[in-house]
C-alpha cells in the first residue's frame, strides 16, 4: 500500500473501457508510449496480462473482464472522494435536520419566518431548536449542534462567526406603572423592584455595573430563565423587567400580542449595544447545506429585525 498509485486506477478504467492503448491514451491526454508503460505497470501490479493482442486489436483477459465494472465504480468513487463537493444542492430531495441552539426570544421571533423560508425551498429539511443554558462551545465542537445564535463567547477561538443584528437593553413595565409618572432618573429606576433573566448563579449585567459606578443598587425581586419570562412577570406586577429591545418591538408584539400591554423605555444609564451573531464550527464551513442554512438565517434576521422599533438597531 505504501507504493499504491491511484493514477493506475484511472488508467486501468480507461484501458478496460477503450480496449485500446491508443484510445485510453487519448481519453487521459497521454501519449501512446506513456500509456504502454502504464499498462506494463498494471500487469506487474495485478499479476495478469489484462489486455492481450488478438489480430490487430486487444482483448481483455478473463480477469480483466471480471474486474471491469468494479474498476469503473471504484474510479468514480475515488474521484468523488478526492474532489470538492458540488455547491449545487438538490433542495427538493434534501433530507437533513439542522440543530440550532438559540434563546427563547430568538425562537419566538425568528423560527416561523425561518421555517417558512426553508420549507419553500427544501420541504424535507427540518429545524431542531434547542435551549442554550450556558455559553459552552463543546456542542459545536462535537457536532451536537449545527449553529448557535447569540452573543459571542471567548471559549472557542476557532469558531466561525457572522454578525446578524444589533440589539440593546431597555426597561419594560406594565401600563400605568408609577415609574412612568415622572422623569426616568437612575435613582427612581434603581428604587423599583426588578425582574431579570439569568441562568447564572452570579447576577451581573451591564445595568447593574452602570448603577454601581454611580453608587446605586437595584433590588432584584425575581430571577427567571428567559427574557420572555421576565416580560410575563412585569406585565402582571409592579416589577421592572430588563430585556433586549427586540423582545418588545413591533415584530414581537405581532407574535405575542400581550407584550403590547407593556411600556418599554430607554434606560437611565448607558449600556453597550448587544451584537447577536451566528456561530458554527469550521468543519462545517464548506458544507453546501450548512452554508445554505447560514444564508437563510442571515436573510431572515435582516428582513425581520428592522421591524423592531428603532432602525438604529437594524440588522446588517
Amino acid at each position: 500500500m505504501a507504493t499504491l498509485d491511484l493514477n493506475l486506477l484511472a488508467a486501468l478504467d480507461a484501458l478496460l473501457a477503450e480496449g485500446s492503448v491508443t484510445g485510453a491514451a487519448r481519453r487521459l491526454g497521454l501519449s501512446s508510449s506513456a500509456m504502454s508503460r502504464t499498462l506494463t505497470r498494471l500487469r506487474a501490479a495485478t499479476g495478469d496480462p489484462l489486455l492481450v493482442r488478438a489480430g490487430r486489436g486487444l482483448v481483455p483477459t478473463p480477469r480483466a473482464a471480471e474486474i471491469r465494472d468494479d474498476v469503473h465504480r471504484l474510479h468514480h468513487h475515488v474521484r468523488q472522494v478526492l474532489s470538492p463537493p458540488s455547491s449545487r444542492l438538490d433542495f427538493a430531495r434534501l433530507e437533513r435536520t439542522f440543530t440550532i441552539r438559540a434563546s427563547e426570544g430568538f425562537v419566538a421571533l425568528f423560527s416561523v419566518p425561518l421555517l417558512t423560508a426553508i420549507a419553500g425551498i427544501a420541504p424535507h429539511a427540518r429545524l431542531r431548536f434547542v435551549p442554550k443554558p450556558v455559553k459552552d462551545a463543546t456542542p459545536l465542537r462535537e457536532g451536537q449542534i449545527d449553529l448557535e445564535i447569540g452573543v459571542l463567547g471567548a471559549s472557542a477561538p476557532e469558531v466561525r462567526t457572522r454578525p446578524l443584528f444589533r440589539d440593546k437593553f431597555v426597561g419594560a413595565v406594565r401600563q400605568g406603572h408609577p415609574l412612568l409618572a415622572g422623569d426616568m432618573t437612575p435613582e427612581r429606576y434603581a428604587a423599583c423592584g426588578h425582574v431579570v433573566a439569568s441562568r447564572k448563579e452570579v447576577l451581573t449585567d451591564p445595568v447593574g455595573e452602570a448603577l454601581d459606578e454611580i453608587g446605586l443598587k437595584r433590588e432584584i425581586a425575581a430571577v427567571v430563565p428567559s427574557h420572555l419570562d421576565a416580560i410575563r412577570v412585569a406585565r402582571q406586577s409592579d416589577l421592572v423587567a430588563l430585556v433586549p429591545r427586540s423582545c418588545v418591538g413591533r415584530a414581537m408584539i405581532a407574535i405575542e400580542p400581550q407584550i403590547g400591554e407593556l411600556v418599554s423605555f430607554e434606560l437611565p444609564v448607558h449600556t453597550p449595544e448587544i451584537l447577536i451573531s451566528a456561530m458554527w464550527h469550521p468543519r462545517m464551513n464548506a458544507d453546501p447545506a450548512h452554508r445554505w442554512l447560514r444564508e437563510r438565517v442571515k436573510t431572515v434576521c435582516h428582513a425581520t429585525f428592522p421591524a423592531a422599533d428603532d432602525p438604529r438597531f437594524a440588522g446588517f
Side-chain angles (χ1 to χ4, degrees), residues 202-219:
V202 180
L203 298 178
T204 59
D205 58 41
V207 176
E209 294 170 358
L211 290 172
D212 285 342
E213 290 181 0
I214 57 176
L216 296 174
K217 183 178 179 61
R218 291 171 300 173
E219 184 66 38

Side-chain angles (χ1 to χ4, degrees), residues 86-95 121-124 288:
S86 172
S87 59
R88 298 184 62 183
L89 288 174
D90 185 353
F91 291 107
R93 301 177 64 180
L94 179 63
E95 294 191 15
I121 301 173
H124 302 296

Side-chain angles (χ1 to χ4, degrees), residues 24-36:
R26 188 182 305 112
R27 176 186 284 206
L28 297 183
L30 300 175
S31 66
S32 295
S33 59
M35 184 55 70
S36 293

Side-chain angles (χ1 to χ4, degrees), residues 58-72:
L58 298 175
V59 294
T61 65
R63 175 61 176 161
E66 178 186 354
I67 66 174
R68 179 164 44 204
D69 291 342
D70 287 339
V71 167
H72 181 69

Side-chain angles (χ1 to χ4, degrees), residues 179-228:
L179 184 60
L180 301 175
D183 293 337
M184 189 65 65
T185 65
E187 291 77 11
R188 292 187 67 233
Y189 173 79
C192 295
H194 294 261
V195 53
V196 298
S198 177
R199 290 186 170 89
K200 299 180 293 185
E201 293 184 8
V202 180
L203 298 178
T204 59
D205 58 41
V207 176
E209 294 170 358
L211 290 172
D212 285 342
E213 290 181 0
I214 57 176
L216 296 174
K217 183 178 179 61
R218 291 171 300 173
E219 184 66 38
I220 297 178
V223 181
V224 293
S226 75
H227 292 116
L228 291 186

